Amino acid sequence: MSAPSRSKIRPPREGEAPAAAALVIGAYLRAVRLARGLTGSEAAGTIGCSAARLSRVETGRLHWTADATDLLERYGIDDLPSLTAVEYLLQGPHRHILSDHAPGWLDRLHACLRQAETVVIYSAFSIPHMVRIPTYPTDSLTQRLRGGPVRVRHAQVTVDNGEGVTLVVDELALERLLSQPSVWSAQLSHLRQLASSPQGPRMLVLPLDVGMIPPASLMYGMTLHGHVMVAEEGIGFVSYYTGDEAAQRCHFLSAALDAGLPFEQAVVGRTA
């Protein structure tokens, strides 16, 4: 395999939001390290750097692409497609926009979600994967594109770990679920259980009569290492936004939060 690139990544200027790629790759590196059971000091020693420098890398202050690829190789991810994907993402032309459809894209998204201090999830057309029951219907194309090797733990919202998570489901998603009577009752019961748990997520339903035009993708607004980032998940890819690019999408999420109804209030009387 060829030597890793030594390309330099420009650090953010004073007051500037971090590059989306640096935040995403940093979170991914930390998730892989934890999955391998390594402490920060142990991982730093494998590439001859300090634990403080590793911490900066993992929190979005990554200055060299080779730091990322060196760490991945030490963690056992040494196949050319994975290493090339990380180099490609870090060398993208837009600092505050990152489109990730490279191998491992879903792992990188879940690494960000698991490490985020707060997360707002908005879905207009289906129940998000993080709160679905196992029998929820999924089309074969989505299953294939979300497949592949899983190298980090994927985020799953439960009755015990939902603090800091807000789920906003468009009423349209519930209407679509009504057309699946075989899973409606069990999925609704699961969502109610999440909504009623003191440690569960905050659950809201956005009424159709609000008139907001929903995005075509699943949207995540998160605070990651103190920085605001928005992710939009499509079929087989995810796009990330920081800085001013994230601000306009945060405006939509804020409006959805303001207009949303408490879950139990919104689903009263609904039956399959």
Side-chain angles (χ1 to χ4, degrees):
M1 184 170 55
S2 61
S5 167
R6 290 294 304 176
S7 298
K8 194 175 192 311
I9 302 164
R10 178 178 70 77
R13 300 185 178 96
E14 185 176 355
E16 183 185 23
L23 273 178
V24 172
I25 298 303
Y28 177 57
L29 291 170
R30 183 173 190 271
V32 176
R33 171 174 66 78
L34 293 175
R36 299 295 187 268
L38 295 171
T39 67
S41 297
E42 290 169 338
T46 66
I47 63 167
C49 76
S50 67
R53 178 176 167 185
L54 179 70
S55 177
R56 290 194 294 271
V57 167
E58 292 183 345
T59 54
R61 290 167 289 174
L62 180 62
H63 293 168
W64 296 96
T65 56
D67 284 346
T69 53
D70 285 351
L71 284 167
L72 286 176
E73 290 189 86
R74 299 307 189 276
Y75 299 157
I77 300 177
D78 55 3
D79 60 287
L80 187 59
S82 294
L83 297 177
T84 302
V86 168
E87 287 189 1
Y88 168 77
L89 294 172
L90 288 172
Q91 295 172 13
H94 302 292
R95 283 188 61 80
H96 299 136
I97 302 175
L98 173 68
S99 181
D100 185 1
H101 52 81
W105 69 270
L106 191 58
D107 276 354
R108 288 186 284 275
L109 171 60
H110 279 271
C112 293
L113 292 172
R114 288 185 61 83
Q115 293 171 49
E117 295 92 56
T118 62
V119 180
V120 176
I121 307 167
Y122 174 82
S123 180
F125 303 107
S126 63
I127 304 300
H129 290 266
M130 294 167 66
V131 294
R132 288 182 183 179
I133 59 174
T135 55
Y136 189 94
T138 303
D139 63 271
S140 58
L141 176 61
T142 299
Q143 287 179 329
R144 180 170 64 84
L145 292 175
R146 288 177 65 92
V150 176
R151 287 165 164 156
V152 304
R153 287 183 61 196
H154 282 195
Q156 194 73 18
V157 179
T158 71
V159 295
D160 300 317
N161 72 354
E163 292 184 277
V165 177
T166 300
L167 175 65
V168 184
V169 178
D170 199 289
E171 190 176 6
L172 179 62
L174 295 179
E175 294 292 340
R176 288 167 60 91
L177 186 58
L178 270 170
S179 67
Q180 303 285 341
S182 62
V183 298
W184 163 260
S185 179
Q187 181 66 71
L188 184 62
S189 176
H190 178 62
L191 294 175
R192 278 180 163 145
Q193 191 176 28
L194 291 174
S196 62
S197 171
Q199 288 79 44
R202 180 188 179 202
M203 305 272 292
L204 300 174
V205 175
L206 186 64
L208 289 173
D209 59 15
V210 169
M212 292 179 63
I213 299 175
S217 54
L218 184 61
M219 183 179 286
Y220 307 89
M222 66 188 87
T223 306
L224 182 61
H225 307 306
H227 302 289
V228 174
M229 183 167 70
V230 174
E232 295 180 341
E233 180 188 348
I235 299 178
F237 74 97
V238 60
S239 296
Y240 300 91
Y241 307 89
T242 58
D244 291 342
E245 299 293 343
Q248 56 185 310
R249 292 163 176 86
C250 287
H251 178 74
F252 174 87
L253 289 172
S254 295
L257 289 171
D258 290 341
L261 298 176
F263 184 80
E264 197 56 48
Q265 176 184 339
V267 300
V268 168
R270 285 182 178 271
T271 57

